[in-house]
Amino acid sequence: MPFVTSGTFDGVHLGHQKKFSHALKEIAEKSSGETVVITFWPHPRLVLKPEDQSLKLLNTFEGKRPAF
């Protein structure tokens, strides 16, 4: 059974690390399941409001890959 989390995860800060290691990985292991992380690129705000250039991202998509 897969256990899934989704988000933009722009920069894997301590909160994201906790979500991945505890809420996702530990629960999946207890159920003999696997973890799945779904991330979005481009950032949903860039799609929904392309005229808004104020969004500052911490990482490129390529920069996020090693974290997952």
Side-chain angles (χ1 to χ4, degrees):
M1 171 187 293
F3 289 81
V4 181
T5 189
S6 67
T8 56
F9 303 118
D10 185 43
V12 182
H13 56 72
L14 292 176
H16 290 149
Q17 291 174 28
K18 184 168 179 114
K19 178 183 278 191
F20 295 142
S21 69
H22 173 69
L24 193 61
K25 186 178 177 185
E26 288 182 16
I27 293 170
E29 286 176 354
K30 288 179 185 176
S31 301
S32 298
E34 60 184 320
T35 60
V36 177
V37 175
I38 299 172
T39 188
F40 304 103
W41 192 264
H43 191 288
R45 198 164 110 193
L46 295 174
V47 174
L48 297 173
K49 294 186 175 189
E51 70 283 355
D52 181 359
Q53 299 296 311
S54 66
L55 181 64
K56 304 293 185 223
L57 301 174
L58 298 173
N59 286 313
T60 62
F61 181 73
E62 292 79 16
K64 293 193 302 184
R65 284 191 72 174
F68 305 113

